[in-house]
Amino acid sequence: MEHRLVGPGPYRATKLWNETVELFRARMPLRKHRCRLKSYECCFTAAEAVDWLHELLRCSQNFGPEVTRKQTVQLLKKFLKNHVIEDIKGKWGQEDFEDNRHLYRFPPSSPLKPYPKKPPYQKDVIKFPGWNDSPADTSQENIPVRPVVMNSEMWFKRHSIAIGEVPACRLVHRRQLTEAHVEEIWKSMTLSYLQKILGLDSLEEVLDIKLVNSKFIIHNVYSVSKQGVVILDDKSKELPHWVLSAMKCLANWPNCSDLKQPMYLGFEKDVFKTIADYYSHLKEPLLTFHLFDAFVSVLGLLQKEKMAVEAFQICCLLLPPENRRKLQLLMRMMARICLNKEMPPLCDGFGTRTLMVQTFSRCILCSKDEVDLDELLAARLVTFLMDNYQEILKVPLALQTSIEERVAHLRRVQAFGCCTLPRPHSLSWPFSVFPAFLQDKTRSR
């Protein structure tokens, strides 16, 4: 009972669905069962299906041990809806699946999900302007250039710096390095880094790059507090004060008395419910609908932890700043609650860690369209994020340094490229302008 590791790339959720369906149909034990004095061959009970599939998912590298029995039941409901299984009388679709002794079987054939068709992609992520290019309204043919007739004297002047002759420079037309150009560089290089880590020929099939906002990236890099949390310019997008107070209370438990809040039996459960209710009513998950496929693709790198962290770092830079801030504060609270041995149980049915994952998975990651495995994928992502949130929500220093050096280089090129040097009046230049080794050669002459 093995689950092949599905790596990063387009249509990862669909690939996982098809593979899980194929494994379930091929390996689920079938036997004779009796129901109401009648025998049925090659079938299984709902409880048997839950037991077997739950073990398969927990042992899978694609899903992991955090998968709960409840999630397994939800997946089997989707199997029944999509006619992967049917009840013993051939009913499916509108029927409900429950964890009981009801009998099910496999239909003669099980439809696998087709891969969506998308337009052909371009291998270049973004092509930003070449800084040596002329402006759009300038033609090189209209620039007057004086013809140069080379003779021995002119050749000698151009190739012997020792005599001090420097030909007059012609003005080089370059694009001005505007703020918009700098933003394009940040966007292009950030996406190029992500594409390289994922090992893809293009990001087009996991991300609509036209929807990537370069201003978000720059804000998430530079507008941060000493703790690395994003600072918002628009205060109306902040967490409500009462939610932030509740999060601080649980994150700093048992020091929440410092916040001067009333204490009573079950107080911490009510505070937690307040936070959970707020996040469950967000209009969009924190990782956004647009970035769903990109984050799901990164999940294929979890066996290579360092690469996965780097990929998540870059994906999180693409978030709107208010989403990134809410995610940072939420993950910090979740991690502190899980590590706090003084925290009373927040739920009777789940351990604290499982409760955190199950409560906040869908408000962090889910698909706008119905994706059959989005709950399992969200739980997998949140588990990894909770364990590595401090690294993942840092700004990737290597990327930042690379982009800053690129921008600085282009500014230097622009500064030198847009100047002219006057023609010298004589061939005698002071020795101070020459390197020492050239001064020695000149003196020897």
Side-chain angles (χ1 to χ4, degrees):
M1 189 169 62
E2 296 180 356
H3 220 138
R4 180 179 60 88
L5 178 64
V6 178
Y11 320 125
R12 186 171 185 271
T14 303
K15 292 176 183 177
L16 286 171
W17 168 269
N18 287 343
E19 174 149 329
T20 303
V21 168
E22 288 178 334
L23 278 175
F24 183 58
R25 283 178 57 86
R27 310 225 180 143
M28 173 67 202
L30 305 176
R31 61 186 180 88
K32 180 190 294 186
H33 287 81
R34 289 184 62 84
C35 180
R36 296 180 181 178
L37 303 179
K38 187 175 181 180
S39 295
Y40 297 92
E41 299 286 344
C42 299
C43 58
F44 50 86
T45 67
E48 290 171 345
V50 176
D51 289 339
W52 192 90
L53 185 58
H54 186 211
E55 185 63 20
L56 172 71
L57 297 174
R58 292 183 72 254
C59 295
S60 168
Q61 300 178 79
N62 298 305
F63 301 108
E66 301 293 336
V67 177
T68 65
R69 190 175 183 87
K70 182 179 178 181
Q71 288 176 324
T72 307
V73 172
Q74 292 300 317
L75 180 56
L76 283 163
K77 287 177 183 286
K78 295 178 180 180
F79 277 4
L80 183 59
K81 179 180 178 181
N82 288 276
H83 205 196
V84 175
I85 60 176
E86 61 185 18
D87 84 346
I88 202 63
K89 296 180 181 180
K91 297 179 181 179
W92 60 278
Q94 301 301 320
E95 304 298 314
D96 193 19
F97 183 95
E98 295 181 4
D99 191 353
N100 54 26
R101 301 294 300 173
H102 194 76
L103 293 180
Y104 291 89
R105 67 188 183 192
F106 292 122
S109 62
S110 178
L112 298 181
K113 289 189 177 293
Y115 297 109
K117 295 181 180 180
K118 292 191 176 182
Y121 59 79
Q122 298 178 350
K123 287 197 174 182
D124 292 336
V125 176
I126 288 182
K127 184 178 180 181
F128 46 83
W131 310 111
N132 289 327
D133 297 342
S134 299
D137 57 350
T138 302
S139 172
Q140 291 286 351
E141 297 178 357
N142 297 328
I143 300 176
V145 180
R146 182 179 179 181
V148 178
V149 179
M150 291 291 279
N151 53 35
S152 59
E153 181 181 2
M154 181 63 73
W155 185 93
F156 184 76
K157 287 181 179 180
R158 290 197 173 188
H159 292 80
S160 181
I161 192 173
I163 64 173
E165 174 62 48
V166 179
C169 291
R170 178 166 57 87
L171 179 64
V172 178
H173 290 273
R174 298 180 183 273
R175 290 183 184 272
Q176 182 182 1
L177 188 60
T178 64
E179 181 179 349
H181 289 147
V182 174
E183 291 176 359
E184 288 180 14
I185 293 170
W186 271 93
K187 178 177 177 177
S188 177
M189 293 188 66
T190 300
L191 295 180
S192 294
Y193 263 62
L194 179 61
Q195 180 176 317
K196 181 179 179 181
I197 292 175
L198 295 178
L200 303 178
D201 291 331
S202 171
L203 291 177
E204 293 284 354
E205 293 175 329
V206 298
L207 179 67
D208 186 348
I209 62 176
K210 294 178 182 178
L211 298 180
V212 174
N213 191 322
S214 56
K215 288 184 171 62
F216 291 170
I217 301 173
I218 297 172
H219 187 104
N220 290 334
V221 169
Y222 293 111
S223 298
V224 296
S225 66
K226 293 181 180 179
Q227 292 75 31
V229 179
V230 172
I231 300 172
L232 300 181
D233 296 330
D234 186 354
K235 299 305 179 183
S236 67
K237 296 181 178 179
E238 289 275 9
L239 280 168
H241 176 72
W242 51 274
V243 176
L244 191 57
S245 296
M247 294 176 70
K248 286 182 179 179
C249 175
L250 293 187
N252 298 320
W253 190 277
N255 297 322
C256 61
S257 56
D258 296 342
L259 302 177
K260 300 180 181 180
Q261 294 182 351
M263 297 290 291
Y264 53 84
L265 185 63
F267 169 75
E268 66 285 345
K269 293 182 180 180
D270 288 344
V271 174
F272 181 75
K273 186 177 184 301
T274 297
I275 300 167
D277 286 345
Y278 170 79
Y279 275 95
S280 67
H281 287 89
L282 294 177
K283 294 181 180 179
E284 186 178 34
L286 294 178
L287 300 185
T288 74
F289 292 133
H290 163 233
L291 294 174
F292 175 82
D293 288 328
F295 278 103
V296 168
S297 185
V298 175
L299 285 173
L301 291 173
L302 292 191
Q303 301 303 311
K304 303 175 182 178
E305 185 173 315
K306 184 178 179 181
M307 290 181 65
V309 168
E310 291 177 356
F312 276 129
Q313 281 181 334
I314 296 174
C315 283
C316 288
L317 280 185
L318 308 182
L319 295 173
E322 59 269 23
N323 288 42
R324 183 176 171 92
R325 177 175 172 81
K326 289 176 182 178
L327 181 65
Q328 288 174 313
L329 296 176
L330 177 61
M331 296 312 304
R332 184 169 64 180
M333 181 202 74
M334 292 169 62
R336 288 185 177 182
I337 290 176
C338 289
L339 294 174
N340 190 351
K341 297 180 180 180
E342 301 295 327
M343 174 65 69
L346 295 174
C347 179
D348 297 332
F350 294 105
T352 301
R353 179 182 172 88
T354 302
L355 177 65
M356 293 296 114
V357 173
Q358 298 305 316
T359 301
F360 296 109
S361 287
R362 288 194 64 79
C363 74
I364 293 176
L365 179 74
C366 72
S367 172
K368 188 174 184 179
D369 305 316
E370 184 178 358
V371 175
D372 296 306
L373 296 175
D374 58 353
E375 293 180 11
L376 298 178
L377 296 173
R380 183 68 163 147
L381 182 143
V382 172
T383 300
F384 187 81
L385 186 58
M386 191 164 59
D387 292 339
N388 301 276
Y389 82 98
Q390 289 181 317
E391 286 298 318
I392 289 174
L393 293 174
K394 282 182 179 178
V395 175
L397 185 58
L399 173 63
Q400 180 182 353
T401 301
S402 178
I403 296 175
E404 289 174 345
E405 289 178 351
R406 171 69 173 168
V407 172
H409 169 72
L410 291 176
R411 292 193 190 281
R412 288 194 299 269
V413 170
Q414 175 180 292
F416 285 114
C418 294
C419 67
T420 58
L421 294 177
R423 182 179 295 279
H425 294 289
S426 70
L427 299 182
S428 299
W429 278 47
F431 269 76
S432 60
V433 303
F434 295 91
F437 75 93
L438 287 178
Q439 293 183 26
D440 295 339
K441 291 183 178 180
T442 307
R443 287 195 184 95
S444 66
R445 292 184 181 181

